[in-house]
Amino acid sequence: MSAPKTPDRFNEAKATFTVRGSDAPDLEGGVAAIRNVLATLPARPGVYRMLDARGDVLYVGKARALKNRVTNYTQVDRLPKRLQRMVAQTRSMTIVTTNNEAEALLLEAQLIKRYRPAYNVLLRDDKSFPFILLRGDHEFPRIQKHRGARRAKGNYYGPFASAGSVNTTLNALQKLFLLRSCTDGFMKRRDRPCLLYQIKRCSAPCVGRISEADYAELVSDAKDFLAGKSTKVQAKLGAQMQAAAEHMDFELAAILRDRLRALTFIQGSQAINAEGVGDADIFALANQSGVMGIQAFFIRGGQNWGHRSFFPAHTNEVPEEEVLMGFLTQFYEEVPPARNVFVDRDLTENALLTEMLSTQAGRKVDVSVPQRGVRKRLLDQAKRNAEEALERRLAESTTQAKLLREVADLFDLPEPPDRIEIYDNSHIQGTNALGAMVVAGPEGFRKGQYRKFNIKRPETIAGDDFGMMREVFSRRFQRAQDEDPDRDGGDWPDLVLIDGGRGQLNAVKAVLEEMGIEDVCLVGIAKGPHHGRDGREVFHLMDGREFQLPVNSPVLFYLQRLRDEVHRFAIGAHRDKRAKAMGASPLDEVPGIGPARKKALLMHFGTARAVRNASLEDLQKAPGVSTAMAQGIYDFFHSR
């Protein structure tokens, strides 16, 4: 098996070796496969992947000297039970060499995120972190919340722990600095100030209520504040308010007073006093019976930008230091590190982690264990939060485990379900139809595995719920049969819930029977005789039985929550699709017409209908339209 494409920085020094052994999952076979690779391994830095008989990645590891590190796996008596099980399943290896160990550590994190191996500690979090973006591509920069790739030109401040924390900060920043939050297009269309100006959250640059120079001063103040210079901003605002009062400009003084109050609110809302710390990320780990939780605090410019709890997967039988090290490398694979990273224990590979983070950030990053002062107090607070969050997690897990056991008893499952899939359809009189699937398990909803299915088969009648269910299930399970026929990849459901009654259930059951799938538990959830107003949903089973649960049943509440989540997801996806369709234009379908050319045509003709009805001569007169393109547009609309 060849190595997948790796980042360009590793391409110059890359080598791949694959040796396959027998398919039998035994320890001797795994050791033999590893020994076959050893003969070709160099004694240089790199990353290795252990693969099973099917070629699935079991483990990703990095090494300063590949030959020395991989040799350890042949000495099975010295390996813990967890790694012995991994070696027993290993049937091949893939090797990628790097220029140094820091590059190997970075590549290891990237490959773990890509393959999510069964024997690596995994950062189980599918949500990206929000940032505040102060754009730099406009004479009146916009301030906004941002997620995802940082491609736009400007200054990024973050990460914030949650959308709530960034929204609170943005709201206060608007009151304090009066920066616009609207889009460029919205700003261009304004001929009078919007409501944000009226409630003193914007300076209305759209209609010239503030000069470019004065707005630039507000932007500079905002940058100072977000960089931790709040005292400087406070002193400046105080002096301006005093000067306005002395000049009898009480209206301006009142505005500056309100801005000072907003600044005081931000400072007072900091639950953590981190004055003098600057920029820091703080991590503390808690462990109870092999279940581990990590608490992260984000401090920027001495301000608390929130905290978040993480619960990595595959931590059983793994040393705490290895869990924390694996977590940090994966966490910083996407998030830019602060100048200081504080951890609650010494890391054997601290120097290597420091080198990797410094290389990634393009500046010095220090990883340390604080021993005294404010930094030590913050770390102790993170430890307490980690322990409390883990206790809550364990309590919730106990309750969840009990619910899943009751679900198994209710639907005659052999064991509590590990993967529950819930399905629903959404459309308006057959338009913008789609199906939705959400996934839940012992740890809660798995939002990274949600799926939506655009209804596109010609035989599916628009608005036919039964036909839509047939299409969704045939596509979902055909793919499951193609990609995981042996059902050992964890993507086959133990229980399927369908938002619908006997008709939807029978339609789905017939589809799966045609595909030879008869062992997946299907349950339909329909509103009761009073349309669900009494909370008495009717559950339809495959054998024809139907029943209701008591209105105070915890299992009923849990199943209703699953049904409500798929309903929410389906409606949201449908609204997004409908909104996109409303903004669509017939010109979108014309080959060779991009956004700029489409805009030019609309500006020239006024409407898409006018373009469609235009003569060939009129099209040739349009700006930026060649003779050949005009002919292509004319033929597209008149040859159908």
Side-chain angles (χ1 to χ4, degrees):
M1 179 177 179
S2 60
K5 183 179 180 181
T6 54
D8 292 340
R9 73 181 75 180
F10 305 113
N11 286 346
E12 294 181 0
K14 182 172 68 175
T16 303
F17 308 90
T18 303
V19 179
R20 295 198 177 277
S22 67
D23 290 344
D26 65 279
L27 192 57
E28 292 183 0
V31 172
I34 295 171
R35 281 179 175 157
N36 287 335
V37 176
L38 282 174
T40 58
L41 278 183
R44 59 178 300 174
V47 174
Y48 58 91
R49 275 171 280 161
M50 305 285 199
L51 300 99
D52 62 14
R54 292 177 50 191
D56 295 333
V57 179
L58 297 169
Y59 182 78
V60 176
K62 58 92 185 146
R64 180 183 304 169
L66 283 166
K67 192 176 187 68
N68 298 343
R69 182 70 182 90
V70 174
T71 298
N72 294 337
Y73 291 105
T74 63
Q75 302 169 1
V76 293
D77 293 340
R78 300 181 181 179
L79 297 177
K81 295 295 184 183
R82 179 179 66 95
L83 295 183
Q84 288 183 9
R85 292 193 297 270
M86 180 191 73
V87 171
Q89 297 176 53
T90 300
R91 288 300 173 270
S92 64
M93 291 184 66
T94 299
I95 308 296
V96 178
T97 59
T98 59
N99 295 313
N100 54 59
E101 193 177 4
E103 287 186 352
L105 185 61
L106 178 59
L107 178 58
E108 178 193 39
Q110 294 171 348
L111 294 178
I112 289 173
K113 181 179 178 181
R114 181 188 304 176
Y115 293 110
R116 304 191 68 79
Y119 288 91
N120 281 100
V121 173
L122 298 180
L123 171 55
R124 187 168 52 195
D125 196 296
D126 55 5
K127 295 183 292 185
S128 61
F129 285 88
F131 285 74
I132 286 178
L133 168 59
L134 187 55
R135 308 250 338 202
D137 53 2
H138 197 280
E139 60 269 24
F140 294 102
R142 172 191 180 194
I143 192 167
Q144 65 184 91
K145 180 172 67 175
H146 177 83
R147 284 186 187 268
R150 292 180 287 278
R151 298 191 183 96
K153 182 181 178 182
N155 298 93
Y156 293 87
Y157 301 93
F160 286 81
S162 65
S165 60
V166 75
N167 288 338
T168 300
T169 303
L170 267 178
N171 186 37
L173 288 174
Q174 285 180 292
K175 294 179 182 178
L176 178 55
F177 299 110
L178 309 180
L179 302 181
R180 73 178 182 95
S181 58
C182 58
T183 63
D184 294 348
F186 183 85
M187 179 181 176
K188 288 179 181 178
R189 294 194 299 269
R190 300 300 301 178
D191 55 9
R192 61 179 180 175
C194 67
L195 179 63
L196 289 178
Y197 175 77
Q198 306 297 335
I199 62 176
K200 298 181 176 60
R201 294 192 183 181
C202 181
S203 53
C206 53
V207 292
R209 296 296 175 91
I210 186 173
S211 68
E212 185 174 342
D214 289 341
Y215 192 90
E217 185 176 354
L218 293 178
V219 171
S220 177
D221 289 344
K223 290 180 178 178
D224 284 342
F225 176 80
L226 290 168
K229 302 175 183 177
S230 58
T231 304
K232 174 182 176 182
V233 176
Q234 190 170 21
K236 181 178 178 180
L237 288 175
Q240 290 176 344
M241 183 180 69
Q242 183 69 27
E246 291 174 355
H247 289 82
M248 309 292 284
D249 190 349
F250 298 115
E251 183 177 358
L252 176 59
I255 293 173
L256 293 168
R257 179 203 61 200
D258 293 341
R259 293 176 61 192
L260 270 172
R261 286 177 178 173
L263 175 59
T264 304
F265 169 80
I266 297 177
Q267 294 170 331
S269 65
Q270 306 295 319
I272 297 175
N273 179 14
E275 186 177 355
V277 175
D279 294 350
D281 294 333
I282 304 169
F283 299 95
L285 182 145
N287 181 5
Q288 289 190 31
S289 303
V291 179
M292 300 189 198
I294 296 174
Q295 187 76 15
F297 285 178
F298 305 110
I299 308 297
R300 295 295 184 273
Q303 302 175 41
N304 171 30
W305 283 3
H307 57 91
R308 185 186 289 189
S309 300
F310 299 87
F311 302 94
H314 306 167
T315 59
N316 194 29
E317 302 181 29
V318 182
E320 293 181 4
E321 180 186 341
E322 184 178 337
V323 171
L324 184 57
M325 184 69 181
F327 168 85
L328 291 173
T329 56
Q330 294 175 55
F331 177 84
Y332 285 120
E333 202 272 320
E334 286 189 351
V335 177
R339 293 187 178 275
N340 294 293
V341 177
F342 302 145
V343 293
D344 65 342
R345 67 202 65 217
D346 292 319
L347 299 174
T348 304
E349 296 184 309
N350 185 80
L352 178 61
L353 179 63
T354 299
E355 181 183 356
M356 186 201 84
L357 296 181
S358 299
T359 302
Q360 188 175 355
R363 52 175 167 74
K364 175 65 176 176
V365 175
D366 182 63
V367 182
S368 62
V369 182
Q371 300 297 325
R372 62 183 65 86
V374 176
R375 299 181 176 189
K376 178 64 165 58
R377 180 176 53 78
L378 287 172
L379 185 61
D380 291 340
Q381 188 170 354
K383 288 181 181 180
R384 288 195 302 273
N385 277 265
E387 293 167 355
E388 293 168 0
L390 183 57
E391 289 174 359
R392 290 193 298 269
R393 176 78 170 194
L394 292 173
E396 292 169 359
S397 298
T398 302
T399 303
Q400 185 81 350
K402 181 180 178 181
L403 281 173
L404 292 176
R405 286 196 299 271
E406 294 181 6
V407 168
D409 293 339
L410 183 66
F411 299 126
D412 298 325
L413 300 176
E415 57 187 18
D418 182 67
R419 180 184 175 96
I420 303 174
E421 294 182 357
I422 312 97
Y423 292 84
D424 189 18
N425 295 326
S426 185
H427 63 89
I428 294 181
Q429 296 181 343
T431 61
N432 303 309
L434 56 79
M437 176 190 81
V438 306
V439 181
E443 71 283 359
F445 291 111
R446 302 173 182 174
K447 295 191 176 182
Q449 299 179 27
Y450 287 14
R451 295 293 181 267
K452 53 188 176 183
F453 301 82
N454 289 315
I455 303 302
K456 55 188 179 182
R457 291 183 177 175
E459 65 269 22
T460 302
I461 300 174
D464 178 6
D465 282 344
F466 299 162
M468 292 170 65
M469 280 291 181
R470 283 192 289 267
E471 177 175 338
V472 168
F473 272 79
S474 62
R475 287 164 56 187
R476 156 68 179 114
F477 283 90
Q478 185 60 58
R479 181 170 183 175
Q481 285 184 324
D482 294 341
E483 296 182 353
D484 189 15
D486 297 330
R487 305 192 186 187
D488 54 6
D491 292 332
W492 280 77
D494 303 304
L495 172 64
V496 171
L497 301 178
I498 303 161
D499 186 15
R502 177 64 55 188
Q504 284 87 346
L505 180 65
N506 288 338
V508 169
K509 181 180 177 183
V511 168
L512 296 188
E513 287 177 348
E514 290 175 5
M515 301 173 68
I517 302 172
E518 300 181 355
D519 56 348
V520 173
C521 181
L522 304 174
V523 176
I525 306 179
K527 291 184 173 67
H530 300 289
H531 300 284
R533 288 193 296 270
D534 59 354
R536 296 291 299 276
E537 278 79 1
V538 178
F539 294 89
H540 298 270
L541 305 186
M542 292 187 295
D543 58 7
R545 289 181 296 153
E546 58 183 59
F547 61 85
Q548 292 179 297
L549 292 171
V551 292
N552 60 350
S553 168
V555 176
L556 174 62
F557 297 153
Y558 176 66
L559 296 172
Q560 286 174 331
R561 191 161 72 247
L562 299 182
R563 190 270 318 277
D564 292 345
E565 173 67 4
V566 73
H567 193 57
R568 178 202 65 80
F569 180 63
I571 289 177
H574 168 74
R575 286 173 177 167
D576 291 343
K577 185 177 181 180
R578 190 172 75 238
K580 185 176 180 181
M582 290 174 64
S585 166
L587 298 180
D588 294 334
E589 303 176 11
V590 182
I593 300 296
R597 196 66 47 77
K598 182 177 74 171
K599 182 177 180 180
L601 286 168
L602 291 174
M603 292 292 291
H604 182 75
F605 288 99
T607 66
R609 176 177 292 183
V611 177
R612 182 177 57 195
N613 296 331
S615 66
L616 179 60
E617 292 76 12
D618 289 339
L619 288 170
Q620 291 172 344
K621 296 176 183 178
V625 177
S626 65
T627 302
M629 181 170 291
Q631 186 68 54
I633 297 172
Y634 184 84
D635 291 344
F636 178 82
F637 287 118
H638 293 83
S639 62
R640 301 201 279 178

